[in-house]
Amino acid sequence: MSIEQLAETAQAMVAPGKGIIAIDESTATIAKRFAGVGIENTEENRRAYRELLLTTPKLNEHISGAILYDETIRQSTKDGVPFAKYMADHGMIPGIKVDKGAHPLAGCPGELVTEGLDGLRERLQEYYKLGARFAKWRAVINIGESIPSGTCIESNAHALARYAALCQECGLVPMVEPEVIMDGDHDIETCYEVTEATLRSLFDALYQQNVLLEGTILKASMVISGKNCDEQADVEEVAESTVMCLKSTVPAILPGVVFLSGGQSDEQSTEHLNAMNQLGNLPWPLSFSYGRAMQQAALKLWAKDMKGNYAAAQKTVYERAKDNGLAALGKWNG
């Protein structure tokens, strides 16, 4: 894929009023989601659930693409159409999660580094053949007493940059996701400082690894108070702090930024995105790449009656996509 094609794909991922649905939960993670609503964690149930999400009528009005899991990109609809082909045929871009998860960082208690670089080139080549046109790698940055350390931030930034370079070599747009975790009692100012340091390190590493920013998407966490902080920042402060942090760290040539919902409620994640886009004068589109905030209501509905509630669950998915699509334009009214 040429530089122009990478840039074109990246721009399509953040087309006006559209975002990404994240359905890349590992088998272990979706087992927890299913257990919470009383669904047995079988391969067929996982396939059927992903089909419900991807075949939602008119989903492509507000969804530009989906991040899939290794199992999912190999699966098909009940009619035998591979999910990646179904998506491409319906104007949505197939993506794939390629990291192997966050593991303890040696010598840095309480900190994690994401693994999965070994053999990545070959895996990316296979995923391209299976229809993927973008990939995702998530780093985890915890906030706590004396952490994150510079070692943690730099180790994760380096891994993200190496992954991104390999993606572009194999014709895939890299989605780089350095998630600053909400867990903790830290205030929004601390979150701002950590997010700023993380993003500065990330873009420095991307530059060092010759990654083409015009063919890269940032998946960012919002600048927000820790879950256990006594003083929770309001919507306006989250929006203003997040945009200010991005403006000070993210080059304007980047095609766009998508946010993870990261522990926020469905409505909070939509409200914050909408408030950011109402600030105006942004160098890049701000959109969404939500997982649980897009799916949870539909999953609960489907779990009650898998056949009887199928259409109602899909309607819920569409409504969440529509709300977030409007928020990506600053036009959501609650």
Side-chain angles (χ1 to χ4, degrees):
M1 192 183 284
S2 67
I3 296 170
E4 290 77 15
Q5 287 172 311
L6 283 168
E8 195 176 300
T9 300
Q11 287 162 10
M13 288 166 66
V14 288
K18 291 189 178 186
I20 307 285
I21 183 170
I23 56 173
D24 58 334
E25 302 92 348
S26 67
T27 306
T29 299
I30 204 162
K32 295 175 190 171
R33 303 264 173 94
F34 278 6
V37 292
I39 296 175
E40 188 183 357
N41 185 32
T42 64
E43 183 183 352
E44 173 52 27
N45 280 345
R46 293 192 298 271
R47 189 210 63 77
Y49 176 55
R50 265 69 186 253
E51 178 171 3
L52 179 150
L53 297 170
L54 292 172
T55 61
T56 293
K58 301 188 293 183
L59 187 66
N60 59 6
E61 290 179 2
H62 307 288
I63 295 294
S64 60
I67 311 169
L68 308 177
Y69 184 58
D70 179 79
E71 176 184 75
T72 316
I73 201 169
R74 303 175 193 279
Q75 292 174 327
S76 302
T77 67
K78 62 181 183 295
D79 298 328
V81 181
F83 283 146
K85 183 179 188 310
Y86 180 91
M87 289 177 63
D89 289 346
H90 289 79
M92 293 182 286
I93 305 165
I96 181 72
K97 171 191 170 174
V98 298
D99 68 68
K100 296 286 187 179
H103 298 266
L105 179 59
C108 298
E111 301 194 279
L112 304 168
V113 67
T114 301
E115 298 180 357
L117 289 170
D118 289 352
L120 181 58
R121 177 181 277 116
E122 292 73 25
R123 289 193 291 124
L124 291 170
Q125 290 167 346
E126 182 190 12
Y127 287 137
Y128 187 92
K129 288 176 185 171
L130 287 169
R133 290 299 177 265
F134 74 93
K136 190 203 81 166
W137 179 290
R138 173 179 177 254
V140 174
I141 308 295
N142 289 315
I143 298 178
E145 190 175 345
S146 302
I147 62 171
S149 64
T151 302
C152 172
I153 289 174
E154 287 166 23
S155 298
N156 278 293
H158 181 73
L160 277 163
R162 287 186 60 199
Y163 138 83
L166 282 166
C167 280
Q168 292 185 338
E169 179 192 283
C170 296
L172 295 160
V173 171
M175 180 183 281
V176 290
E177 179 185 2
E179 180 177 0
V180 177
I181 303 296
M182 272 181 75
D183 296 346
D185 58 5
H186 54 273
D187 58 21
I188 191 170
E189 288 80 9
T190 303
C191 182
Y192 186 106
E193 289 169 11
V194 171
T195 304
E196 184 178 39
T198 300
L199 292 176
R200 286 192 191 284
S201 181
L202 170 63
F203 283 100
D204 181 57
L206 292 171
Y207 174 76
Q208 296 293 339
Q209 297 289 333
N210 297 319
V211 174
L212 301 162
L213 293 187
E214 58 267 49
T216 304
I217 294 292
L218 171 65
K219 181 167 179 174
S221 44
M222 297 179 193
V223 176
I224 197 166
S225 312
K227 278 184 189 173
N228 300 323
C229 180
D230 292 334
E231 288 189 34
Q232 291 289 318
D234 62 22
V235 173
E236 287 70 26
E237 190 175 1
V238 170
E240 289 169 6
S241 298
T242 303
V243 168
M244 189 185 303
C245 189
L246 293 175
K247 281 185 173 180
S248 73
T249 54
V250 179
I253 196 171
L254 200 79
V257 179
V258 294
F259 290 102
L260 55 98
S261 47
Q264 301 176 53
S265 70
D266 295 3
E267 188 163 325
Q268 272 181 322
S269 57
T270 306
E271 203 171 4
H272 287 141
L273 177 62
N274 189 65
M276 285 182 225
N277 280 298
Q278 288 184 336
L279 294 173
N281 194 28
L282 302 170
W284 0 247
L286 298 182
S287 191
F288 62 94
S289 176
Y290 295 159
R292 195 180 303 185
M294 278 287 301
Q295 301 177 38
Q296 195 61 19
L299 178 60
K300 287 179 180 175
L301 199 56
W302 184 60
K304 290 176 184 173
D305 184 349
M306 289 188 181
K307 287 185 179 177
N309 284 351
Y310 197 88
Q314 287 192 322
K315 185 182 177 186
T316 303
V317 174
Y318 175 79
E319 290 299 332
R320 290 296 303 137
K322 183 180 177 183
D323 284 349
N324 288 310
L326 288 169
L329 298 169
K331 295 180 178 177
W332 181 70
N333 56 14

